[in-house]
Amino acid sequence: MAISMVEQGSYEWHVLRQGKVTGTTLASALGSPKVRDTLMYKIISERMTEPKIDDINSPAIQRGRELEPLARKAVEAKTGLTFTEVGMILNPDIEHFGVSPDGVYFESDEKKPPVGGVEIKCPDSKKHVEYLIKEEIPKEYLNQVKAPFLACDSIDWWVFASFDDRNYEEPLFIKMVTRKDFPDLAKDRKDLIDYLNRVDETHMKITF
């Protein structure tokens, strides 16, 4: 396991993500054949072109970026844990796979691998209330929360947090999961490695 401390959103961070499966695309990498193929085209195209900085800047995305530090502090206050911002977690055993968490937790010091972390979402108020009622990690984010367990063997737990500062009664929803909540990690790891090998082979076929 290796941790890059590059600033998320920076040019260097985009270069690091280029041509990789990330936490946000893990669901596609483990998805249906059609979805996997579509992701493969994207990954190979990234490897064959200059790094592109995403310019998506919708009001919802901008709001999420602005609220993330406040949301992280709210999670820390609720849990009593302190999270460290990092650029990306990389696993040398799974080439071209990396996870950019919203924060990681070091049990003793930063010289040792992290044992936990946090994934933060700042949805609209309706979605936030849905998360509060269902009391579970939304299916659309489940693989994103699973990704750190694949990227780092030292990870024992991860926190999913939904934050809505407009909700004056329950602005924070927290759900913690552990490695035991993902019994198929070994299979997922094999499937991910197999998928990335196929991406590499396909890339080689069209360039040599």
Side-chain angles (χ1 to χ4, degrees), residues 101-131:
D102 293 324
V104 295
Y105 177 76
F106 295 96
E107 196 167 36
S108 53
D109 59 71
E110 295 184 11
K111 294 181 180 179
K112 295 182 179 180
V115 297
V118 61
E119 178 65 37
I120 297 170
K121 301 299 178 185
C122 299
D124 60 44
S125 296
K126 179 182 175 182
K127 273 291 181 183
H128 180 72
V129 169
E130 179 184 336
Y131 301 160

Side-chain angles (χ1 to χ4, degrees), residues 21-199:
V21 170
T22 64
T24 54
T25 58
L26 178 62
S28 296
L30 300 177
S32 67
K34 183 177 181 180
V35 170
R36 291 199 300 269
D37 283 348
T38 300
L39 178 61
M40 178 175 66
Y41 307 148
K42 176 178 181 293
I43 291 174
I44 294 176
S45 70
E46 288 178 351
R47 295 179 184 179
M48 300 176 74
T49 57
E50 289 293 320
K52 178 183 177 183
I53 297 179
D54 296 331
D55 56 2
I56 300 174
N57 199 28
S58 69
I61 291 176
Q62 183 62 31
R63 179 175 179 274
R65 289 172 181 164
E66 293 174 353
L67 282 179
E68 185 179 304
L70 184 61
R72 189 181 299 105
K73 289 182 180 178
V75 175
E76 291 178 338
K78 183 73 173 181
T79 63
L81 303 169
T82 299
F83 295 98
T84 301
E85 295 181 62
V86 300
M88 182 173 286
I89 298 175
L90 301 163
N91 187 332
D93 295 327
I94 310 179
E95 192 177 4
H96 301 308
F97 174 58
V99 178
S100 297
D102 293 324
V104 295
Y105 177 76
F106 295 96
E107 196 167 36
S108 53
D109 59 71
E110 295 184 11
K111 294 181 180 179
K112 295 182 179 180
V115 297
V118 61
E119 178 65 37
I120 297 170
K121 301 299 178 185
C122 299
D124 60 44
S125 296
K126 179 182 175 182
K127 273 291 181 183
H128 180 72
V129 169
E130 179 184 336
Y131 301 160
L132 286 168
I133 292 173
K134 290 185 175 180
E135 297 184 311
E136 61 185 18
I137 296 176
K139 290 183 179 180
E140 61 265 33
Y141 298 127
L142 196 57
N143 277 286
Q144 195 170 355
V145 174
K146 178 195 294 182
F149 294 93
L150 293 173
C152 185
D153 291 336
S154 66
I155 296 297
D156 292 325
W157 54 266
W158 208 261
V159 171
F160 172 85
S162 173
F163 182 74
D164 180 13
D165 63 326
R166 297 162 297 199
N167 189 316
Y168 54 82
E169 292 185 356
E170 293 290 345
L172 183 65
F173 166 69
I174 291 178
K175 179 70 174 181
M176 178 181 284
V177 291
T178 68
R179 186 170 289 274
K180 293 180 180 179
D181 292 308
F182 298 107
D184 296 329
L185 282 176
K187 179 181 182 302
D188 291 336
R189 182 184 297 247
K190 182 181 183 304
D191 289 346
L192 177 59
I193 292 173
D194 289 345
Y195 173 75
L196 286 168
N197 286 338
R198 185 165 74 88
V199 172

